[in-house]
Amino acid sequence: MENQTRKKRVFSGIQPSGDLTLGSYMGAIKNWVTMQDEYDCVYCIVDMHAITVRQNPADLRRRCLEQLAQYLACGLDPAKSILFVQSHVPQHAELSWILGCYTQFGELSRMTQFKQKSQQHADNITAGLFTYPVLMAADILLYQADYVPVGEDQRQHVELCRDIAQRFNGVYSETFVLPEALIQRVDQGARIMSLGNPLSKMSKSDPDGCVYLMDPPEVIQRKFKRAVTDSETSVRYDKENKPGVSNLLTIYCAAAGKSLEEAEAEFAGQGYGVFKPAVGEAVAELLRPMREEAARMMKDKAYLEGVYREGAQRAGRLAQRTLDKVHRKVGFVAR
């Protein structure tokens, strides 16, 4: 095992299957940034996962660069964290194959996300979609990650990753750290819901219901003015009976750095005509510096290339250390 005095390691990644959203930032990246000083952080752009659904090649390449620029603009620091593109570290695919040989067909069949995506993409149910959780396990176990910050929808995949690691460790002796899922608490803004349907999570696949990090202020304002609320006029948090207003309050508090009590008092008796534009303004101001910095970085492709190349080299060294150990355990002849 690695030196027990090392910092605890965190691994996480986001697919470049669409533009990053306000939900991506508040639910994931904002927390990643705060973890950089306390943990040894490995953050990935998981482009191999993205191709379980058909992608336009030019768009996928562009979004990978844009996502890296946005990671950096949000505060991820390549001097503190390892930032890389998944496909640049071939050990991910190699370990995925090996771990697939220690994963049961029935385990993968029970994955909730596979069932959902199979319904959404009924004409393209590929082996990659089915074995997606094995690649995710390889992503995590390659780096001996202690913690995996994920949304609630990914908890099942982290549990499967632990099962695979325990099975492998049981056969060959201790090889992998057993990772724990870090599910962000709701009051940290992890559950940012759709502006169009506050019962569904904000998703990059729903352009009208989500705010993208690169949306200009006027677009952000328009989206919030159209946000679903209810037939009342009172601004109060009541997730059960007022999901739309409650979602907007959650977003406002996260963007403006206020408590729910402060926000409710601020808009008492003012109605949605005042409230919704105020939320839009707070979000536009929160995202403005990130949007401007990411746009600036996109003009400096050489810098971005340097970041992802160095990140892949650092990630590759860690990954190879684990893979060499796995090769020995399963009986492969040394290269």
Side-chain angles (χ1 to χ4, degrees), residues 71-93:
Y71 277 2
L72 295 166
C74 288
L76 293 182
D77 183 348
K80 294 180 178 179
S81 301
I82 297 177
L83 306 174
F84 70 104
V85 179
Q86 183 186 27
S87 62
H88 293 179
V89 180
Q91 291 92 337
H92 286 252

Side-chain angles (χ1 to χ4, degrees), residues 205-272:
S205 61
D206 173 23
D208 295 327
C210 81
V211 174
Y212 297 108
L213 291 192
M214 299 303 285
D215 277 346
E218 62 274 13
V219 171
I220 293 173
Q221 277 290 6
R222 186 168 69 247
K223 288 180 177 179
F224 277 101
K225 285 177 182 175
R226 293 177 179 171
V228 168
T229 49
D230 50 53
S231 57
E232 298 181 12
T233 57
S234 61
V235 178
R236 59 186 170 82
Y237 191 87
D238 181 348
K239 199 170 180 182
E240 188 86 8
N241 300 303
K242 297 170 71 69
V245 172
S246 299
N247 183 43
L248 294 182
L249 273 169
T250 298
I251 292 171
Y252 181 73
C253 291
K258 297 185 178 182
S259 69
L260 275 174
E261 293 75 16
E262 289 171 335
E264 287 176 334
E266 182 179 348
F267 296 105
Q270 297 204 52
Y272 303 156

Side-chain angles (χ1 to χ4, degrees), residues 157-295:
H157 289 167
V158 179
E159 289 172 352
L160 176 64
C161 173
R162 286 175 59 88
D163 290 343
I164 296 169
Q166 283 182 307
R167 183 174 299 136
F168 193 96
N169 288 353
V171 173
Y172 296 109
S173 77
E174 194 171 356
T175 307
F176 298 117
V177 169
L178 299 184
E180 294 179 31
L182 276 184
I183 309 293
Q184 304 302 326
R185 296 202 315 270
V186 172
D187 61 2
Q188 291 176 300
R191 293 293 288 181
I192 301 297
M193 311 305 278
S194 166
L195 301 183
N197 177 10
L199 300 180
S200 298
K201 187 177 172 183
M202 184 178 283
S203 168
K204 50 195 170 187
S205 61
D206 173 23
D208 295 327
C210 81
V211 174
Y212 297 108
L213 291 192
M214 299 303 285
D215 277 346
E218 62 274 13
V219 171
I220 293 173
Q221 277 290 6
R222 186 168 69 247
K223 288 180 177 179
F224 277 101
K225 285 177 182 175
R226 293 177 179 171
V228 168
T229 49
D230 50 53
S231 57
E232 298 181 12
T233 57
S234 61
V235 178
R236 59 186 170 82
Y237 191 87
D238 181 348
K239 199 170 180 182
E240 188 86 8
N241 300 303
K242 297 170 71 69
V245 172
S246 299
N247 183 43
L248 294 182
L249 273 169
T250 298
I251 292 171
Y252 181 73
C253 291
K258 297 185 178 182
S259 69
L260 275 174
E261 293 75 16
E262 289 171 335
E264 287 176 334
E266 182 179 348
F267 296 105
Q270 297 204 52
Y272 303 156
V274 172
F275 174 54
K276 293 205 283 188
V279 181
E281 179 65 25
V283 170
E285 285 308 305
L286 173 73
L287 299 184
R288 187 189 304 275
M290 301 175 216
R291 186 185 74 252
E292 291 173 353
E293 179 64 3

Side-chain angles (χ1 to χ4, degrees), residues 52-113:
T52 57
V53 175
R54 293 281 180 271
Q55 302 289 334
N56 177 291
D59 287 345
L60 182 60
R61 277 188 286 271
R62 172 183 56 78
R63 284 198 302 264
C64 282
L65 277 181
E66 287 177 348
Q67 190 161 308
L68 177 60
Q70 289 166 40
Y71 277 2
L72 295 166
C74 288
L76 293 182
D77 183 348
K80 294 180 178 179
S81 301
I82 297 177
L83 306 174
F84 70 104
V85 179
Q86 183 186 27
S87 62
H88 293 179
V89 180
Q91 291 92 337
H92 286 252
E94 192 169 344
L95 182 60
S96 179
W97 170 256
I98 296 171
L99 294 182
C101 298
Y102 296 83
T103 307
Q104 300 300 309
F105 185 90
E107 290 175 313
L108 295 176
S109 301
R110 289 191 291 273
M111 292 292 107
T112 303
Q113 203 165 71

